[in-house]
Each structure stands twice: as structure tokens, then as C-alpha cells.
Amino acid sequence: MKKQVLVAGGGIGGLAAALGASRAGWDVRLYERAAAFSEVGAGVQLGPNVVRRLQAWGLQKPLQAVAAFPARLQVRSALSGCALAELPLGTTAIERYGAAYATIHRADLHGLLLAAVTKYTDTQLNLAHAIEGFTDGSAAVNAIPGAETAITVHTSRGKEVEGDALVGADGLWSGTRLQLLGDVPPRATGHLAYRALVPQDALPNALRTQQITAWLGPRLHVVQYPVRRGELQNLVVIIEGRAPEDMQGWDHAANAADLEQALQGACPALQHAVYGVAAAGGGWRLWPLCDRPPVRGPGDMAQGLVALLGDAAHPMVPYLAQGAGMAIEDAAELQRALSMHDLEVPLRLTRYALNRWQRNARVQARATRNGRIFHAMGPVRWGRDASLRLLGARVLDLPWLYRGDGSVASSL
């Protein structure tokens, strides 16, 4: 008889977890609080480490149908506009890491995962139905060592559902994490992200792009790249500023005047790129960025019959472009662990956590460090720019990240 995993959350991490668990031979019940599957937001970057895992799930063709595959990453000064460094992507990434570097609309990534779960698995999808608490039978005082134990979840519709494991993929404000770890709320980083999507054919030729460009300036940086086969351009402007008190509920149409004020000292080329959003009929949305300290150990990712995945386990700032990627890597490792049928379920989840926590912690720490480097001022900024000019691709390339744990599609 198949074991059953219950998944809290239907975002990118939850769908990836459902896909991985199904491929491991488990039945899956997924619970999503929203009444319909949808993914707001803008662009997502997927390094070769992530694309390899999508390939392993047979999703290369769906990815090719909706993503863009930039040929290079260029870093420029937000003040002078001068190019500082460049990293070849495209065929270079494929030759070096076995997969391309992709940029994709978050809704398109969510959609291809949802299509795979719907088409290739028997996952039971429960919308407008959230998991609001759980009781872990393996943690009971009178639990018999080695005996079969179960986890019972309590849902927003007043139901109790029993399973063999629970995966909390319920995001930054995870209720699963709160019960499992008794944790404090996420911390405000003091950084605010303005995000916009614009049809490229609505922009002048000079403002269209098929590459990734990162503009670095004092206390701010801007990233732009193509998504949806290159038809849309994604722009993200991150500045340092005060976050609101209502961190969980705040998400509103941004005041373009505030953004223009923040970019007053930027070079004309960057200002034109940002002003082009309004000229093309687009708008900005504003999010405060939150994170948590790096994962401290395997107990932060799994205990008993409960595992955490993605932002529920290791939310991070976007300065390494790996938030969604780490959730997908988590799901691939979860698949491997759940496939270890000779182990008891708590041991399988412990194996998952042992194999993931250090890599996630490293990515979290490096992303935070990158934020300080990107926004550097004074002598630190001068040193950063000089290093980029001198070392170029050697600074931008990240073999430790893009090679990941050394696994390839055939081994997942």
C-alpha cells in the first residue's frame, strides 16, 4: 500500500514537492489556501542547477516553450553606465554545467509545474482548503519505537486528515514552520523591491533586451531581463528604505514618483530603462523584502514526520537569484529521500534535511552578502568595481552553485 504525504501550500515549492513525492511512489494530497491556483509576481532566474532538475522531471520542452535563455549577464555601473563585467551564458552554460541558464515569468514556472502534477501524477489538489495545524504521532510520548506512526493535519474546513508525512511548503509566513519550530516572524531587511513587466514590443528598440543586465549603485541596484520567450521584459529596482509595520499584508501599486526620486543620481541609460515602463503603459508594484538567518542545522528543516521546503525553511533575499531554485532542489532531494523504502519515514525526512541544510544555509548567507556588495558605497564600491573590471567572469561565475551537489538529470 502506498504511503501518503500531505503538502501544505500550492506555490512553486508545493507543486515541486508534489511532483517529486509522486515520482518517489507516494500518494500526495496538496492543500492550498487560495480558491484558485495563481502566481503573482514577475520574473524568476533559473540557474543550470535548477534547469537540470526540471529536465530530470521531463520538463525541458515545457520550459523551452515559455522561458527565455539569455546569452549573457552584464554588470554595469548605475552611476556612470559603464560596463564592469560580463559572464557568457547560453551555450557556454550548457557546455560547462550541462544545462542552460533560463529566465521565466513566475506564473509560467508555476503553470508548467501545475500541468506536470495534473498530467503525470494522481495528486489530489484541494483548493480553498488550508492546513492549519498538525499532530505528529511519532512525537507522542507513548509512541512505540519502530511502529508505524501517522501525522494528522487539521484543515481550515474543520477536517482531520491522516497521512504518513507532512511537507510544509507554505511560504514565508509558514504556519507549519511556526508550529514545528515555534519560530519568530521573518525579519525585515530594510530593502524594498519595485517590480514591473513590460511587453518588449511596446518599448523603443534601444530599451529592449535579450540579456540579463545588473546595474549596481549606492544603496540600490536594478536587474532587467527577458521572460516569456523574450516577449516581456522584467525589471526589478531594489532600494534601501523603511518597510511598513504590516509586513504580511502590504503589497500595493507603487508610487512611481518615489522610484524616480531614488534614481535621480543614476545614469541616463538606466533612467530611460525605468521611465520606459510608464511610457509603455506598465506599472510598478512594491514589495518589502524579508528573510531569516541561515538554516542552523537539519532540525530546522525536518523533525519527526514533518519537513519544511522552500521559503518555509529558508527564505532569502533575491541577490543570488536562487529562491525558487532552492525550493526545486529541495523537492528533488525530497524525492530521493522518500524513495528510500527500507527506511522509516522519520529517517527519510532526516536524510532529506541532512542533505539540504548546509547548501541552503550557504546560499542564504551568500545572498545576504551580495546585497551588501551590490549596494556598497565609497571605497568598498570602488574596490568592487575594480575587481569586476579586473576579474570579469571569474567573479560572476559560480561553479559551487551551478554544479550543485554534482547530480545530473539521469541520477535524480
Side-chain angles (χ1 to χ4, degrees):
M1 184 175 178
K2 284 187 176 182
K3 290 189 177 295
Q4 180 169 257
V5 62
L6 310 173
V7 178
I12 289 170
L15 290 174
L19 186 58
S22 294
R23 290 175 65 90
W26 286 52
D27 284 331
V28 182
R29 289 189 181 186
L30 184 148
Y31 294 84
E32 165 56 39
R33 183 177 300 277
F37 283 115
S38 63
E39 271 291 323
V40 297
V44 174
Q45 298 182 54
L46 301 177
N49 55 305
V50 188
V51 173
R52 285 199 307 274
R53 283 143 182 81
L54 296 177
Q55 291 170 342
W57 287 331
L59 300 179
Q60 175 69 11
K61 287 186 177 179
L63 180 67
Q64 288 177 318
V66 295
F69 298 91
R72 65 174 182 167
L73 161 66
Q74 184 183 58
V75 180
R76 299 176 66 175
S77 166
L79 297 181
S80 69
C82 294
L84 300 175
E86 184 175 304
L87 175 67
L89 300 174
T91 57
T92 301
I94 295 172
E95 293 167 359
R96 187 169 296 168
Y97 300 117
Y101 194 109
T103 52
I104 187 171
H105 192 300
R106 180 174 290 272
D108 294 337
L109 176 58
H110 186 269
L112 71 85
L113 289 170
L114 178 58
V117 167
T118 303
K119 183 176 180 179
Y120 300 119
T121 78
D122 295 322
T123 297
Q124 184 182 113
L125 302 174
N126 300 278
L127 296 174
H129 200 171
I131 291 176
E132 296 192 332
F134 62 85
T135 303
D136 185 350
S138 70
V141 174
N142 60 351
I144 300 173
E148 290 290 333
T149 54
I151 190 159
T152 303
V153 301
H154 318 288
T155 77
S156 58
R157 295 186 181 179
K159 294 184 177 181
E160 292 190 349
V161 182
E162 190 174 278
D164 297 289
L166 168 64
V167 175
D170 42 350
L172 177 66
W173 302 93
S174 169
T176 309
R177 179 192 180 104
L178 181 62
Q179 182 176 343
L180 184 69
L181 303 179
D183 220 345
V184 298
R187 61 186 183 184
T189 63
H191 291 188
L192 306 176
Y194 291 77
R195 294 188 171 104
L197 279 166
V198 185
Q200 299 242 44
D201 61 9
L203 295 169
N205 286 336
L207 297 183
R208 300 176 189 179
T209 187
Q210 294 298 331
Q211 68 175 32
I212 303 171
T213 303
W215 307 76
L216 308 185
R219 303 187 67 186
L220 66 85
H221 79 283
V222 181
V223 182
Q224 58 182 140
Y225 53 82
V227 297
R228 195 163 290 168
R229 300 170 296 275
E231 297 163 13
L232 300 177
Q233 183 177 151
N234 178 75
L235 293 98
V236 184
V237 181
I238 298 181
I239 64 174
E240 296 182 19
R242 185 176 179 180
E245 293 183 6
D246 181 13
M247 293 291 293
Q248 191 166 0
W250 188 59
D251 172 11
H252 60 78
N255 185 339
D258 293 341
L259 181 56
E260 293 176 7
Q261 177 69 25
L263 293 173
Q264 274 192 338
C267 66
L270 177 53
Q271 293 197 35
H272 290 158
V274 172
Y275 298 160
V277 171
W284 295 92
R285 294 195 69 84
L286 180 58
W287 281 267
L289 298 182
C290 301
D291 69 356
R292 291 186 182 277
V295 180
R296 298 164 297 182
D300 279 2
M301 292 193 63
Q303 294 182 23
L305 297 175
V306 184
L308 300 176
L309 182 148
D311 282 351
H314 43 73
M316 61 189 70
V317 287
Y319 306 143
L320 203 57
Q322 285 285 327
M326 289 300 103
I328 291 170
E329 281 195 7
D330 283 351
E333 184 57 46
L334 181 68
Q335 175 183 333
R336 285 192 285 263
L338 293 181
S339 299
M340 298 175 180
H341 301 295
D342 55 335
L343 296 181
E344 297 175 7
V345 174
L347 290 177
R348 299 187 214 183
L349 297 185
T350 297
R351 178 68 64 87
Y352 155 75
L354 285 168
N355 288 342
R356 287 300 301 162
W357 80 269
Q358 288 177 310
R359 178 163 169 84
N360 285 320
R362 185 178 184 184
V363 172
Q364 284 178 290
R366 182 64 69 92
T368 300
R369 174 176 172 267
N370 277 4
R372 294 192 295 268
I373 294 171
F374 290 179
H375 291 202
M377 301 174 65
V380 177
R381 177 174 66 85
W382 302 333
R384 176 202 67 200
D385 291 356
S387 296
L388 286 167
R389 290 191 183 98
L390 178 65
L391 299 174
R394 284 177 286 175
V395 173
L396 300 178
D397 199 9
L398 300 170
W400 68 269
L401 178 62
Y402 299 144
R403 288 199 179 101
D405 58 6
S407 61
V408 294
S410 61
S411 70
L412 294 181

